[in-house]
CSV table of all heavy atoms in Angstrom, one decimal:
chain,number,residue,atom,x,y,z
A,83,ALA,N,-56.6,68.6,-24.9
A,83,ALA,CA,-56.7,67.1,-24.8
A,83,ALA,C,-55.2,66.5,-25.0
A,83,ALA,O,-55.0,65.6,-24.1
A,83,ALA,CB,-57.5,66.6,-26.0
A,84,ARG,N,-54.4,67.0,-25.7
A,84,ARG,CA,-53.1,66.5,-26.0
A,84,ARG,C,-52.1,66.7,-24.7
A,84,ARG,O,-51.5,65.9,-24.4
A,84,ARG,CB,-52.4,67.1,-27.2
A,84,ARG,CG,-53.1,66.6,-28.5
A,84,ARG,CD,-52.6,67.4,-29.7
A,84,ARG,NE,-51.1,67.1,-30.0
A,84,ARG,CZ,-50.6,66.0,-30.6
A,84,ARG,NH1,-51.5,65.1,-31.0
A,84,ARG,NH2,-49.2,65.8,-30.7
A,85,ALA,N,-52.4,67.8,-24.1
A,85,ALA,CA,-51.6,68.2,-22.8
A,85,ALA,C,-52.1,67.3,-21.7
A,85,ALA,O,-51.2,66.7,-21.0
A,85,ALA,CB,-51.8,69.6,-22.4
A,86,VAL,N,-53.4,67.0,-21.5
A,86,VAL,CA,-53.8,66.1,-20.5
A,86,VAL,C,-53.3,64.6,-20.8
A,86,VAL,O,-53.0,63.9,-19.8
A,86,VAL,CB,-55.4,66.0,-20.4
A,86,VAL,CG1,-55.9,65.0,-19.5
A,86,VAL,CG2,-55.9,67.5,-20.0
A,87,LEU,N,-53.2,64.3,-22.1
A,87,LEU,CA,-52.7,63.0,-22.3
A,87,LEU,C,-51.1,62.8,-22.4
A,87,LEU,O,-50.7,61.8,-22.7
A,87,LEU,CB,-53.2,62.5,-23.8
A,87,LEU,CG,-54.8,62.4,-23.9
A,87,LEU,CD1,-55.2,62.1,-25.3
A,87,LEU,CD2,-55.2,61.1,-23.0
A,88,GLY,N,-50.5,64.0,-22.2
A,88,GLY,CA,-49.1,63.9,-22.1
A,88,GLY,C,-48.4,64.0,-23.5
A,88,GLY,O,-47.2,63.6,-23.7
A,89,LEU,N,-49.2,64.3,-24.6
A,89,LEU,CA,-48.7,64.3,-26.0
A,89,LEU,C,-48.0,65.6,-26.4
A,89,LEU,O,-47.3,65.7,-27.4
A,89,LEU,CB,-49.9,64.0,-26.9
A,89,LEU,CG,-50.5,62.6,-26.7
A,89,LEU,CD1,-51.7,62.4,-27.6
A,89,LEU,CD2,-49.5,61.5,-26.8
A,90,VAL,N,-48.4,66.7,-25.6
A,90,VAL,CA,-47.6,68.0,-25.7
A,90,VAL,C,-47.2,68.5,-24.3
A,90,VAL,O,-47.9,68.1,-23.3
A,90,VAL,CB,-48.4,69.0,-26.4
A,90,VAL,CG1,-48.8,68.6,-27.8
A,90,VAL,CG2,-49.7,69.4,-25.6
A,91,ARG,N,-46.2,69.1,-24.3
A,91,ARG,CA,-45.6,69.5,-23.0
A,91,ARG,C,-46.1,71.0,-22.7
A,91,ARG,O,-46.0,71.9,-23.5
A,91,ARG,CB,-44.1,69.6,-23.0
A,91,ARG,CG,-43.4,69.9,-21.5
A,91,ARG,CD,-42.0,69.6,-21.5
A,91,ARG,NE,-41.8,68.2,-21.5
A,91,ARG,CZ,-41.8,67.4,-20.4
A,91,ARG,NH1,-42.1,67.9,-19.3
A,91,ARG,NH2,-41.5,66.1,-20.5
A,92,ALA,N,-46.7,71.2,-21.5
A,92,ALA,CA,-47.1,72.5,-21.0
A,92,ALA,C,-46.0,73.4,-20.7
A,92,ALA,O,-44.9,72.8,-20.1
A,92,ALA,CB,-48.1,72.4,-19.9
A,93,SER,N,-46.0,74.6,-20.9
A,93,SER,CA,-45.0,75.5,-20.4
A,93,SER,C,-45.2,76.1,-19.0
A,93,SER,O,-44.3,76.5,-18.4
A,93,SER,CB,-44.8,76.8,-21.4
A,93,SER,OG,-46.1,77.4,-21.6
A,94,ALA,N,-46.4,76.0,-18.5
A,94,ALA,CA,-46.7,76.4,-17.1
A,94,ALA,C,-48.0,75.8,-16.7
A,94,ALA,O,-48.9,75.3,-17.4
A,94,ALA,CB,-46.9,77.9,-17.1
A,95,GLY,N,-48.3,75.8,-15.3
A,95,GLY,CA,-49.5,75.3,-14.8
A,95,GLY,C,-49.3,73.8,-14.3
A,95,GLY,O,-48.2,73.3,-14.3
A,96,SER,N,-50.4,73.3,-13.9
A,96,SER,CA,-50.5,71.9,-13.3
A,96,SER,C,-51.7,71.1,-14.0
A,96,SER,O,-52.7,71.7,-14.4
A,96,SER,CB,-50.5,71.8,-11.9
A,96,SER,OG,-51.8,72.3,-11.5
A,97,ILE,N,-51.4,69.9,-14.2
A,97,ILE,CA,-52.4,68.8,-14.6
A,97,ILE,C,-52.4,67.6,-13.6
A,97,ILE,O,-51.6,66.8,-13.7
A,97,ILE,CB,-52.1,68.4,-16.1
A,97,ILE,CG1,-51.9,69.5,-17.1
A,97,ILE,CG2,-53.2,67.4,-16.6
A,97,ILE,CD1,-51.4,69.2,-18.5
A,98,VAL,N,-53.3,67.7,-12.7
A,98,VAL,CA,-53.5,66.6,-11.8
A,98,VAL,C,-54.5,65.6,-12.1
A,98,VAL,O,-55.7,66.0,-12.3
A,98,VAL,CB,-53.8,67.3,-10.4
A,98,VAL,CG1,-53.9,66.1,-9.4
A,98,VAL,CG2,-52.7,68.3,-10.0
A,99,VAL,N,-54.1,64.3,-12.4
A,99,VAL,CA,-55.0,63.3,-12.8
A,99,VAL,C,-55.0,62.3,-11.6
A,99,VAL,O,-53.9,61.7,-11.2
A,99,VAL,CB,-54.5,62.6,-14.1
A,99,VAL,CG1,-55.4,61.4,-14.4
A,99,VAL,CG2,-54.5,63.6,-15.2
A,100,ASP,N,-56.1,62.1,-11.0
A,100,ASP,CA,-56.3,61.1,-9.8
A,100,ASP,C,-55.3,61.4,-8.8
A,100,ASP,O,-54.7,60.4,-8.3
A,100,ASP,CB,-56.2,59.7,-10.4
A,100,ASP,CG,-56.9,58.6,-9.5
A,100,ASP,OD1,-57.8,59.0,-8.7
A,100,ASP,OD2,-56.3,57.5,-9.4
A,101,GLY,N,-55.0,62.6,-8.5
A,101,GLY,CA,-54.1,63.0,-7.5
A,101,GLY,C,-52.7,63.2,-7.8
A,101,GLY,O,-51.9,63.5,-7.0
A,102,GLU,N,-52.3,62.9,-9.1
A,102,GLU,CA,-50.9,63.0,-9.4
A,102,GLU,C,-50.8,64.1,-10.6
A,102,GLU,O,-51.5,64.2,-11.5
A,102,GLU,CB,-50.4,61.6,-10.1
A,102,GLU,CG,-50.6,60.4,-9.1
A,102,GLU,CD,-50.1,59.1,-9.9
A,102,GLU,OE1,-49.3,59.2,-10.7
A,102,GLU,OE2,-50.7,58.1,-9.5
A,103,ASP,N,-49.7,64.9,-10.3
A,103,ASP,CA,-49.4,66.0,-11.2
A,103,ASP,C,-48.6,65.4,-12.4
A,103,ASP,O,-47.5,65.1,-12.2
A,103,ASP,CB,-48.6,67.1,-10.6
A,103,ASP,CG,-48.5,68.4,-11.5
A,103,ASP,OD1,-48.8,68.3,-12.7
A,103,ASP,OD2,-48.1,69.4,-11.0
A,104,VAL,N,-49.2,65.2,-13.5
A,104,VAL,CA,-48.6,64.6,-14.6
A,104,VAL,C,-47.8,65.5,-15.6
A,104,VAL,O,-47.3,64.9,-16.6
A,104,VAL,CB,-49.7,63.8,-15.5
A,104,VAL,CG1,-50.4,62.7,-14.5
A,104,VAL,CG2,-50.7,64.6,-16.1
A,105,ARG,N,-48.0,66.8,-15.3
A,105,ARG,CA,-47.3,67.7,-16.3
A,105,ARG,C,-45.8,67.5,-16.5
A,105,ARG,O,-45.3,67.7,-17.6
A,105,ARG,CB,-47.5,69.2,-15.8
A,105,ARG,CG,-47.2,70.3,-16.9
A,105,ARG,CD,-47.4,71.6,-16.5
A,105,ARG,NE,-46.5,72.1,-15.4
A,105,ARG,CZ,-45.4,72.6,-15.8
A,105,ARG,NH1,-45.0,72.6,-17.1
A,105,ARG,NH2,-44.5,73.2,-14.9
A,106,THR,N,-45.0,67.0,-15.5
A,106,THR,CA,-43.8,66.9,-15.7
A,106,THR,C,-43.4,65.4,-15.8
A,106,THR,O,-42.2,65.0,-15.7
A,106,THR,CB,-42.9,67.4,-14.4
A,106,THR,OG1,-43.5,66.8,-13.2
A,106,THR,CG2,-43.2,68.9,-14.3
A,107,TYR,N,-44.3,64.5,-16.1
A,107,TYR,CA,-44.1,63.1,-16.2
A,107,TYR,C,-43.1,62.9,-17.4
A,107,TYR,O,-43.2,63.5,-18.4
A,107,TYR,CB,-45.3,62.4,-16.4
A,107,TYR,CG,-46.0,61.8,-15.2
A,107,TYR,CD1,-45.7,62.3,-14.0
A,107,TYR,CD2,-47.0,60.8,-15.3
A,107,TYR,CE1,-46.3,61.8,-12.8
A,107,TYR,CE2,-47.6,60.3,-14.2
A,107,TYR,CZ,-47.2,60.8,-12.9
A,107,TYR,OH,-47.9,60.3,-11.8
A,108,GLY,N,-42.2,61.9,-17.2
A,108,GLY,CA,-41.4,61.4,-18.3
A,108,GLY,C,-42.1,60.3,-18.9
A,108,GLY,O,-43.2,59.8,-18.6
A,109,SER,N,-41.6,59.6,-20.1
A,109,SER,CA,-42.1,58.6,-20.8
A,109,SER,C,-42.3,57.4,-19.9
A,109,SER,O,-43.4,56.7,-20.1
A,109,SER,CB,-41.2,58.2,-21.9
A,109,SER,OG,-40.0,57.8,-21.6
A,110,ARG,N,-41.4,57.1,-19.0
A,110,ARG,CA,-41.7,55.9,-18.2
A,110,ARG,C,-42.9,56.0,-17.2
A,110,ARG,O,-43.7,55.1,-17.1
A,110,ARG,CB,-40.4,55.5,-17.3
A,110,ARG,CG,-40.5,54.4,-16.5
A,110,ARG,CD,-39.2,54.1,-15.7
A,110,ARG,NE,-38.1,54.0,-16.5
A,110,ARG,CZ,-36.8,53.8,-16.2
A,110,ARG,NH1,-36.5,53.7,-14.9
A,110,ARG,NH2,-35.9,53.5,-17.1
A,111,GLN,N,-43.0,57.3,-16.7
A,111,GLN,CA,-44.1,57.5,-15.8
A,111,GLN,C,-45.4,57.4,-16.5
A,111,GLN,O,-46.5,57.0,-16.0
A,111,GLN,CB,-43.9,58.7,-15.0
A,111,GLN,CG,-42.8,58.8,-14.1
A,111,GLN,CD,-42.5,60.3,-13.6
A,111,GLN,OE1,-42.2,61.1,-14.5
A,111,GLN,NE2,-42.6,60.5,-12.3
A,112,TRP,N,-45.5,57.9,-17.8
A,112,TRP,CA,-46.7,58.0,-18.5
A,112,TRP,C,-47.0,56.5,-18.9
A,112,TRP,O,-48.2,56.1,-19.0
A,112,TRP,CB,-46.5,58.8,-19.8
A,112,TRP,CG,-46.9,60.2,-19.7
A,112,TRP,CD1,-46.1,61.4,-19.7
A,112,TRP,CD2,-48.2,60.6,-19.4
A,112,TRP,NE1,-46.9,62.4,-19.4
A,112,TRP,CE2,-48.2,62.1,-19.3
A,112,TRP,CE3,-49.4,60.1,-19.4
A,112,TRP,CZ2,-49.4,62.8,-19.1
A,112,TRP,CZ3,-50.6,60.8,-19.1
A,112,TRP,CH2,-50.5,62.2,-19.1
A,113,ARG,N,-46.0,55.6,-19.3
A,113,ARG,CA,-46.4,54.3,-19.6
A,113,ARG,C,-46.9,53.6,-18.4
A,113,ARG,O,-47.9,52.8,-18.5
A,113,ARG,CB,-45.0,53.5,-20.0
A,113,ARG,CG,-44.6,53.8,-21.5
A,113,ARG,CD,-43.6,52.9,-21.9
A,113,ARG,NE,-42.4,52.9,-21.1
A,113,ARG,CZ,-41.3,53.6,-21.4
A,113,ARG,NH1,-41.3,54.5,-22.4
A,113,ARG,NH2,-40.3,53.5,-20.6
A,114,ALA,N,-46.5,53.8,-17.2
A,114,ALA,CA,-47.0,53.2,-16.0
A,114,ALA,C,-48.4,53.7,-15.8
A,114,ALA,O,-49.3,52.9,-15.4
A,114,ALA,CB,-46.1,53.6,-14.8
A,115,LEU,N,-48.7,55.0,-16.0
A,115,LEU,CA,-50.0,55.5,-15.7
A,115,LEU,C,-51.0,54.9,-16.7
A,115,LEU,O,-52.2,54.5,-16.4
A,115,LEU,CB,-50.1,57.0,-15.9
A,115,LEU,CG,-51.4,57.7,-15.7
A,115,LEU,CD1,-51.9,57.5,-14.2
A,115,LEU,CD2,-51.3,59.2,-16.1
A,116,ARG,N,-50.6,54.8,-18.0
A,116,ARG,CA,-51.4,54.2,-19.0
A,116,ARG,C,-51.7,52.7,-18.9
A,116,ARG,O,-52.8,52.1,-19.1
A,116,ARG,CB,-50.8,54.5,-20.4
A,116,ARG,CG,-51.0,55.9,-20.8
A,116,ARG,CD,-50.0,56.2,-22.1
A,116,ARG,NE,-50.2,57.6,-22.4
A,116,ARG,CZ,-49.2,58.4,-22.9
A,116,ARG,NH1,-48.1,57.8,-23.2
A,116,ARG,NH2,-49.4,59.7,-23.3
A,117,ARG,N,-50.7,52.0,-18.3
A,117,ARG,CA,-50.8,50.6,-18.0
A,117,ARG,C,-51.8,50.3,-16.9
A,117,ARG,O,-52.6,49.4,-17.0
A,117,ARG,CB,-49.4,50.0,-17.6
A,117,ARG,CG,-49.5,48.5,-17.5
A,117,ARG,CD,-48.0,48.0,-17.2
A,117,ARG,NE,-47.0,48.3,-18.2
A,117,ARG,CZ,-46.0,49.1,-18.0
A,117,ARG,NH1,-45.9,49.6,-16.8
A,117,ARG,NH2,-45.2,49.3,-19.0
A,118,ARG,N,-51.9,51.3,-16.0
A,118,ARG,CA,-52.9,51.1,-14.9
A,118,ARG,C,-54.4,51.4,-15.4
A,118,ARG,O,-55.3,51.1,-14.7
A,118,ARG,CB,-52.6,52.2,-13.7
A,118,ARG,CG,-51.4,51.7,-12.9
A,118,ARG,CD,-50.9,52.9,-12.2
A,118,ARG,NE,-52.0,53.6,-11.5
A,118,ARG,CZ,-51.8,55.0,-11.1
A,118,ARG,NH1,-50.7,55.5,-11.3
A,118,ARG,NH2,-52.9,55.5,-10.5
A,119,GLY,N,-54.5,52.1,-16.5
A,119,GLY,CA,-55.7,52.3,-17.1
A,119,GLY,C,-56.5,53.4,-16.4
A,119,GLY,O,-57.8,53.5,-16.6
A,120,VAL,N,-55.8,54.2,-15.6
A,120,VAL,CA,-56.6,55.3,-14.9
A,120,VAL,C,-57.2,56.4,-15.9
A,120,VAL,O,-58.4,56.8,-15.7
A,120,VAL,CB,-55.5,56.1,-13.9
A,120,VAL,CG1,-56.2,57.3,-13.4
A,120,VAL,CG2,-55.2,55.1,-12.8
A,121,LEU,N,-56.4,56.7,-16.9
A,121,LEU,CA,-56.8,57.8,-18.0
A,121,LEU,C,-57.0,57.0,-19.3
A,121,LEU,O,-56.0,56.4,-19.8
A,121,LEU,CB,-55.8,58.8,-18.0
A,121,LEU,CG,-55.9,59.7,-19.2
A,121,LEU,CD1,-57.2,60.5,-19.1
A,121,LEU,CD2,-54.7,60.8,-19.1
A,122,GLN,N,-58.0,57.1,-19.9
A,122,GLN,CA,-58.4,56.6,-21.2
A,122,GLN,C,-58.8,57.5,-22.2
A,122,GLN,O,-59.2,58.7,-21.7
A,122,GLN,CB,-59.4,55.3,-21.2
A,122,GLN,CG,-58.8,54.1,-20.3
A,122,GLN,CD,-57.7,53.4,-21.1
A,122,GLN,OE1,-57.3,53.7,-22.1
A,122,GLN,NE2,-57.2,52.3,-20.4
A,123,TYR,N,-59.0,57.3,-23.4
A,123,TYR,CA,-59.3,58.3,-24.4
A,123,TYR,C,-60.0,57.7,-25.6
A,123,TYR,O,-59.8,56.5,-26.0
A,123,TYR,CB,-58.1,59.1,-24.9
A,123,TYR,CG,-56.9,58.4,-25.4
A,123,TYR,CD1,-56.7,58.0,-26.6
A,123,TYR,CD2,-55.9,58.0,-24.4
A,123,TYR,CE1,-55.6,57.2,-27.0
A,123,TYR,CE2,-54.8,57.2,-24.8
A,123,TYR,CZ,-54.7,56.8,-26.1
A,123,TYR,OH,-53.7,56.0,-26.6
A,124,VAL,N,-60.8,58.5,-26.3
A,124,VAL,CA,-61.5,58.1,-27.5
A,124,VAL,C,-61.3,59.2,-28.5
A,124,VAL,O,-61.7,60.4,-28.3
A,124,VAL,CB,-63.1,58.0,-27.2
A,124,VAL,CG1,-63.8,57.6,-28.5
A,124,VAL,CG2,-63.3,56.8,-26.2
A,125,PHE,N,-60.8,58.9,-29.7
A,125,PHE,CA,-60.5,59.8,-30.8
A,125,PHE,C,-61.8,59.9,-31.6
A,125,PHE,O,-62.7,59.2,-31.6
A,125,PHE,CB,-59.3,59.3,-31.6
A,125,PHE,CG,-58.0,59.4,-30.9
A,125,PHE,CD1,-57.3,58.3,-30.6
A,125,PHE,CD2,-57.4,60.6,-30.6
A,125,PHE,CE1,-56.1,58.3,-30.0
A,125,PHE,CE2,-56.2,60.7,-29.9
A,125,PHE,CZ,-55.6,59.5,-29.6
A,126,GLN,N,-61.7,61.1,-32.5
A,126,GLN,CA,-62.7,61.3,-33.4
A,126,GLN,C,-62.9,60.0,-34.4
A,126,GLN,O,-63.9,59.6,-34.7
A,126,GLN,CB,-62.5,62.5,-34.2
A,126,GLN,CG,-63.5,62.8,-35.4
A,126,GLN,CD,-63.2,64.2,-36.0
A,126,GLN,OE1,-62.4,65.0,-35.5
A,126,GLN,NE2,-63.9,64.4,-37.3
A,127,ASP,N,-61.6,59.6,-34.8
A,127,ASP,CA,-61.6,58.5,-35.8
A,127,ASP,C,-61.2,57.2,-35.0
A,127,ASP,O,-60.1,57.1,-34.6
A,127,ASP,CB,-60.6,58.8,-36.9
A,127,ASP,CG,-60.5,57.6,-37.9
A,127,ASP,OD1,-61.1,56.6,-37.8
A,127,ASP,OD2,-59.6,57.8,-38.8
A,128,PRO,N,-62.1,56.3,-34.8
A,128,PRO,CA,-61.8,55.1,-34.0
A,128,PRO,C,-60.7,54.2,-34.6
A,128,PRO,O,-60.1,53.4,-33.9
A,128,PRO,CB,-63.1,54.4,-33.9
A,128,PRO,CG,-63.9,54.8,-35.2
A,128,PRO,CD,-63.4,56.2,-35.3
A,129,LEU,N,-60.4,54.3,-36.0
A,129,LEU,CA,-59.3,53.6,-36.6
A,129,LEU,C,-57.9,54.0,-36.1
A,129,LEU,O,-57.0,53.4,-36.2
A,129,LEU,CB,-59.4,53.8,-38.0
A,129,LEU,CG,-60.6,53.1,-38.8
A,129,LEU,CD1,-60.5,53.4,-40.2
A,129,LEU,CD2,-60.6,51.6,-38.5
A,130,ARG,N,-57.9,55.2,-35.4
A,130,ARG,CA,-56.6,55.5,-34.8
A,130,ARG,C,-56.4,54.8,-33.5
A,130,ARG,O,-55.2,54.7,-33.1
A,130,ARG,CB,-56.7,57.1,-34.4
A,130,ARG,CG,-56.7,58.0,-35.6
A,130,ARG,CD,-56.7,59.5,-35.1
A,130,ARG,NE,-55.6,59.9,-34.4
A,130,ARG,CZ,-55.4,61.0,-33.8
A,130,ARG,NH1,-56.3,61.9,-33.8
A,130,ARG,NH2,-54.3,61.3,-33.0
């Protein structure tokens, strides 16, 4: 989950979300992706 969300960096492989390989995204690219709302998440604890 954390790898798909960009919270940990993968050492190998690819993670393609909606046609974009996000594995090598930097912080600016992740901010843009999150701003677009393409990928959303729900945690175990909603207060997070």
Side-chain angles (χ1 to χ4, degrees):
R84 292 173 63 81
V86 172
L87 293 170
L89 301 179
V90 297
R91 184 170 290 276
S93 54
S96 65
I97 305 171
V98 178
V99 177
D100 199 27
E102 301 180 27
D103 190 345
V104 301
R105 188 177 75 83
T106 58
Y107 267 18
S109 57
R110 182 179 299 178
Q111 291 167 301
W112 270 111
R113 283 196 298 270
L115 181 68
R116 289 167 180 149
R117 190 177 299 115
R118 285 163 46 204
V120 171
L121 169 62
Q122 297 289 1
Y123 49 91
V124 177
F125 291 112
Q126 176 180 347
D127 180 3
L129 291 179
R130 293 181 60 187

